[in-house]
Amino acid sequence: MPRRTSTSSNWIVATMTAAIVLSPIAPAYAGSATGAATEWTQLANNAQLIDLLKSSGLQVDNQLTQITQLAEQIQNQLMIYENMLQNTAQLPDHIWGQIESDLNRLRSIVDQGQSISFSMGNADDVLQQRFKSYADLKTNLPNAETFSNTYQSWSDTNRDTIGSTLKAASLTADQFDTEEGTMSSLRSMSESADGQMKALQVGHQIAAQQVSQMQKLRGLVSQQMTMMGTWLQTEQTDKDLAQARREEFFKSTAPSTSGGEKMKVEW
C-alpha cells in the first residue's frame, strides 16, 4: 500500500484555504464601526477555520501512516505463517523398500537341507551332535557301518552349508536393482524437498536404508563365518577320528605266532 506523506495534507489545507480566501465576504459599510468589526470577526473566523483544517489534515495523514504500517505488519505475519506451513509440510508418501522381506528371504535361504546357518539359535549344539569330539571318538569309536552314516552326515552338512552361503550371496546381488530403484526415488525426493520437515523425513528414510544394508552385510559375513567354522570342524573331526583309530590299532594285542601240536617225524 503506498505511503502517504505530509504533502497530501498540505495540499488539502492549501486548497481549502484558497477556497475560504476567495469566498465572498459580506460587504462592509464604509465608515461604520459595526461593519469593520464584522469584517475583522469574519477574518478571525476564517483563520481559525484554516488552523482547524490544517490540524485535521495532519490527523488524516497520521492515520494513513498508521494504516500503512499495520498493513505491512499483516503482510509480514502472512509471510511468517507461509514459511511455517512450508517447513512443517510432510512428504505425501514414504519409501522404505522391501527391507523386512529381503532380510526374511536371506534368513530362510541359508537354512536349507542340513546346512548350518547363522540364523540357527542352536548352531553350536548341532555342530557338537554331528561332529564328535576326540574324547567321544576314543570312547565310542564308530565301526564300518556307523562310520559310513557319519561321513554321509558330514558331507551333507558341508555341501548344504556351502550351497546356502552361495545362494545368500546371489540373493543379495539380485536385490541390487530394487535397492537402487529405492535409493533413486529417495534422491529425487531429497532434491525436491522444499521444507525442513520433508528434508528430515527423507534423511530418516535414507538412514533406514543404510541400516538395512548393514543388516544384510552382517548376514553374509555371519554365514561365511558359519561356513568356515563348519568346514574346519569337519577337518578337525576327521583328524581326531584318524588319530583315535591309530591309537586303537596300536593298543590291540598282536596275534600269537607260537603254539599248536608239534609234529613228530619218524625216520
Side-chain angles (χ1 to χ4, degrees):
M1 180 180 293
R3 182 163 183 164
R4 298 292 301 273
T5 61
S6 60
T7 304
S8 60
S9 61
N10 293 335
W11 179 81
I12 295 173
V13 173
T15 303
M16 299 185 68
T17 302
I20 294 172
V21 172
L22 294 177
S23 62
I25 302 175
Y29 298 95
S32 173
T34 304
T38 302
E39 182 179 353
W40 287 107
T41 302
Q42 184 67 29
L43 292 174
N45 292 336
N46 291 339
Q48 292 179 358
L49 181 59
I50 291 172
D51 292 338
L52 180 61
L53 292 175
K54 184 177 180 180
S55 177
S56 299
L58 292 175
Q59 292 179 359
V60 171
D61 186 70
N62 292 333
Q63 290 179 353
L64 291 176
T65 302
Q66 293 177 359
I67 293 174
T68 302
Q69 293 176 351
L70 181 60
E72 291 178 353
Q73 293 178 0
I74 294 174
Q75 186 177 5
N76 292 333
Q77 290 292 333
L78 291 176
M79 292 179 62
I80 293 174
Y81 290 143
E82 183 178 359
N83 292 333
M84 185 183 300
L85 292 175
Q86 184 177 5
N87 290 329
T88 56
Q90 298 185 3
L91 294 173
D93 52 359
H94 299 277
I95 300 176
W96 299 108
Q98 300 177 354
I99 299 175
E100 185 176 359
S101 62
D102 290 345
L103 292 176
N104 289 332
R105 290 180 62 189
L106 179 63
R107 187 178 296 108
S108 62
I109 202 171
V110 296
D111 190 13
Q112 296 181 356
Q114 296 190 30
S115 65
I116 297 178
S117 64
F118 71 92
S119 60
M120 297 176 61
N122 58 341
D124 294 340
D125 296 337
V126 175
L127 279 174
Q128 292 178 4
Q129 293 174 2
R130 298 184 187 180
F131 303 98
K132 300 296 183 180
S133 65
Y134 177 67
D136 294 336
L137 293 174
K138 286 182 65 176
T139 57
N140 188 14
L141 189 64
N143 54 28
E145 182 178 357
T146 57
F147 175 74
S148 178
N149 296 331
T150 301
Y151 189 82
Q152 182 67 41
S153 176
W154 296 353
S155 177
D156 293 340
T157 299
N158 279 280
R159 287 180 177 276
D160 291 345
T161 303
I162 295 172
S164 62
T165 304
L166 295 177
K167 289 180 181 179
S170 177
L171 174 64
T172 55
D174 293 339
Q175 293 172 352
F176 286 164
D177 294 336
T178 57
E179 292 169 352
E180 177 58 28
T182 301
M183 290 304 301
S184 178
S185 299
L186 291 176
R187 284 193 293 267
S188 299
M189 294 172 62
S190 177
E191 293 174 356
S192 60
D194 55 356
Q196 296 179 0
M197 181 63 72
K198 291 183 180 180
L200 290 174
Q201 288 179 339
V202 172
H204 177 65
Q205 295 183 35
I206 292 177
Q209 291 295 321
Q210 292 177 345
V211 171
S212 68
Q213 296 300 319
M214 292 297 297
Q215 289 176 326
K216 293 179 182 179
L217 181 59
R218 286 176 56 192
L220 287 177
V221 173
S222 299
Q223 184 60 27
Q224 182 183 11
M225 295 177 62
T226 303
M227 178 185 65
M228 294 176 61
T230 303
W231 178 263
L232 293 175
Q233 185 69 33
T234 304
E235 292 291 322
Q236 184 62 40
T237 305
D238 191 20
K239 292 180 181 180
D240 293 342
L241 179 60
Q243 178 64 22
R245 284 184 170 177
R246 283 193 293 268
E247 291 183 1
E248 184 69 18
F249 174 77
F250 286 112
K251 284 194 309 181
S252 61
T253 304
S256 177
T257 57
S258 60
E261 295 182 356
K262 296 182 179 179
M263 296 181 61
K264 295 180 180 181
V265 180
E266 295 181 354
W267 296 98

